[in-house]
Amino acid sequence: MTVDDPFAHLHDEDYAAAFSRGWAGADTLFDPAGRTGTSLDGEWTLTLDPYDEGLRQRWFELDDDPPERWTVPRDYDPAGGDRVPVPSCWNLLKPEWKHYEGAVWYARHFDHSGATPERRFILHFGAANYAARVFLNGRFVGAHRGGSTPFSLDATNALRPGANRLMVHVENRRRDDRVPMSHFDWFNYGGLHRGVTLFEFPQAHIRRFRIAWHDGAIRVVADCGGTSPRLRIPELGIDAILDGGRGVFAATPEFWSPDRPKLYDIELSLGPDICRERVGFRDVRVDGTRILLNGAPIRLKGACVHEDDVATGRCSDAADIARRLAHVKELGGNFLRLSHYPHDPRVARMADEAGVLLWAEIPVYWAIDFANAETYADAENQLRELIARDINRASVILWGVGNENADTDLRLSFMSRLAATAKRDDPTRLVSAACLVNRREFRIEDRLADALDVIGLNEYFGWYEPDIRDLKRLLANSTPDKPVIVSETGADAVAGLRANDGRLFTEDKQARFYADQVAALRGCDYVQGLAAWLLYDFRSERRQTRFQRGWNRKGLIAEDKATRKLAFGALRDAWRDW
Ligand code: GCB
């Protein structure tokens, strides 16, 4: 706003672009790695801003004066906003916010002793769906896009001694150029749905590091500005200075596996900056159509799961995650596909402890704008942030680069580049995607398979395609030269709805479906896994019949995360000896 034109903010200047330059991304991501900061979770205020008025009017520059001291009228009053918890999804905080998709302003104060030249201060956000613009004491400190990955912003120059005001503009519009785009089968929760933390570091610190067993040795690379940190793994007798942040150690660790999820305490330190982690070492690779874990063939048995909760939406807590992992084990499984976006980082940590293998993915879902370079940049960044975040988690064995995307030239180029990026950033894991099949030839065939290690196959024979015999036909007609895992299959059932006559949406039909599925897969030697679609019923506004009313009902367990449907037991029994 200029003084000579007091109405400048009403003209359609490119206000959003001013706060969309230099998106924070994977290259600046900092990994807390066991260090504790100051949590900024707790009570914030929240104000809806459906017209993006706040960016136009620069609400972030307003002072905190109470109304009795205002000399001109205002359209925003942070202290007058609704009091809300962070993390949270706003949709579940007030009934009238349930379907709100747009911008909001979060605000809170916190006290601080202020920055000093020898210290760095990093604001770390677990995730904000979808775009976030962050202002500290009236200054723009950075922006991020992508609703499920973490980001870090340097707050050193904006911090003040005493009271600090932090404001975050979060906006979750569904748009065709986003990842996911405007059309997807889950609920579009908005908000700061993971924690916010302020970290303080000496100038020389460890931004992040990667440690893995690979090609016969433990290999470490630390991003710490070329300095030489100290690595300690007491149980393996390793205590060494990593020259320039790199090291290779001949060691014979006990391998991590679902049966024996052995983790080692490791410590990486640079002066007073100390990272502490528990890390498992293991080897995963593909040999022909087999998947080998620590040299032995392994079949992945488990389920997909959304991050969704009746009360908290996409926010998870440790008890919720522990229940998820326990349910997989109760099902007789060893595997979870974290659909369709990066889940809470505690999932992989707890899966490391519990011994559950994970497929982690980004929401390159259905009809992404594959021609759009900005969309690609966003997708690639989400992938790289996910990889950077979970790189030290033994449980994560597969990166998923997309789900059910039609086999076009543009998609092939977009997703091959993503697969190559995953390989470049992380040569120690497998890359997959949930593919469609060649309908004309009726076989498992996708040009993207050349860029993948494992072919994911989403199939609903016996449900959307009613004849289960077609699955056998498809399998018999296909000769993949890589392992295939059924990355989704399932049928809807309303918990408690019973009928023995094959009626859709009954528990009986869903149970029969899984028995038929496993029977059809038996004997097919290239299918190395099955992820049921899915563990729990979840919200989806695409689903509006009397059986659904806004819920996808394909859970083996109802949305209360307790009521097991018949299919739960049917699947557990059917694949016991598979
Ligand atoms: C699919 C999608 C998944 C849907 C599921 C369904 O193929 O990948 O996101 O929710 O089908 O329930 O139809």
Side-chain angles (χ1 to χ4, degrees), residues 90-297:
W90 68 65
N91 315 75
L92 299 178
L93 298 178
K94 281 176 110 178
E96 60 270 37
W97 291 352
K98 176 146 183 223
H99 292 292
Y100 178 69
E101 298 182 307
V104 306
W105 289 88
Y106 283 90
R108 69 161 287 161
H109 284 90
F110 64 91
D111 285 326
H112 198 270
S113 54
T116 52
E118 35 335 310
R119 313 291 289 171
R120 293 271 306 281
F121 294 84
I122 307 280
L123 272 171
H124 187 76
F125 293 81
N129 193 26
Y130 182 89
R133 297 174 170 91
V134 179
F135 303 87
L136 181 59
N137 299 319
R139 281 172 76 155
F140 177 58
V141 290
H144 181 260
R145 63 184 173 185
S148 308
T149 40
F151 56 100
S152 316
L153 302 173
D154 194 325
T156 311
N157 295 333
L159 262 188
R160 279 193 203 139
N164 284 260
R165 186 178 68 176
L166 180 60
M167 287 176 62
V168 188
H169 175 265
V170 180
E171 179 264 295
N172 77 329
R173 293 193 181 91
R174 282 174 297 117
R175 283 180 12 189
D176 288 348
D177 61 349
R178 285 188 164 171
V179 185
M181 48 88 77
S182 54
H183 184 219
F184 46 86
D185 192 26
W186 63 89
F187 194 94
N188 185 27
Y189 293 110
L192 293 174
H193 62 95
R194 292 188 192 136
V196 183
T197 315
L198 180 67
F199 288 95
E200 176 181 352
F201 296 106
Q203 284 292 355
H205 63 267
I206 301 161
R207 186 197 296 281
R208 58 181 192 242
F209 69 98
R210 149 153 56 117
I211 181 162
W213 169 268
H214 193 55
D215 284 343
I218 292 176
R219 293 162 198 272
V220 197
V221 181
D223 174 356
C224 47
T227 54
S228 299
R230 175 179 176 192
L231 173 71
R232 291 181 60 237
I233 312 180
E235 221 182 316
L236 293 174
I238 294 175
D239 184 347
I241 302 297
L242 300 180
D243 195 14
R246 286 163 183 268
V248 178
F249 300 90
T252 46
E254 181 188 328
F255 280 136
W256 180 98
S257 73
D259 293 335
R260 288 180 60 86
K262 168 71 187 164
L263 300 177
Y264 289 89
D265 287 317
I266 72 159
E267 193 184 280
L268 189 68
S269 56
L270 187 63
D273 185 29
I274 304 176
C275 303
R276 291 196 179 85
E277 283 280 18
R278 283 168 62 67
V279 171
F281 300 107
R282 51 105 187 94
D283 180 78
V284 64
R285 61 186 64 231
V286 154
D287 175 32
T289 57
R290 299 184 309 166
I291 300 172
L292 303 182
L293 182 70
N294 305 326

Side-chain angles (χ1 to χ4, degrees), residues 184-186 306 337 339-340 361 365-366 403-404 434 436 458-460 463-464 487-492 533-534 538 540 542-543 548 552-554:
F184 46 86
D185 192 26
W186 63 89
H306 264 291
R337 175 177 172 206
S339 322
H340 282 298
E361 72 188 72
Y365 185 92
W366 293 350
N403 185 81
E404 294 182 356
L436 298 168
N458 286 6
E459 53 88 3
Y460 287 84
W463 185 247
Y464 293 124
S487 37
E488 276 180 34
T489 191
D492 290 77
W533 185 259
L534 80 171
F538 64 99
S540 174
R542 294 177 66 242
R543 311 287 182 172
Q548 300 160 314
N552 185 312
R553 294 283 178 209
K554 294 192 188 68

Side-chain angles (χ1 to χ4, degrees), residues 398-431:
L398 281 155
W399 300 123
V401 296
N403 185 81
E404 294 182 356
N405 322 93
D407 190 356
T408 63
D409 290 349
L410 285 170
R411 173 266 194 177
L412 180 62
S413 136
F414 189 108
M415 287 179 61
S416 305
R417 285 165 70 200
L418 288 179
T421 298
K423 285 280 170 203
R424 194 190 60 226
D425 278 17
D426 178 14
T428 71
R429 288 182 177 80
L430 308 176
V431 176

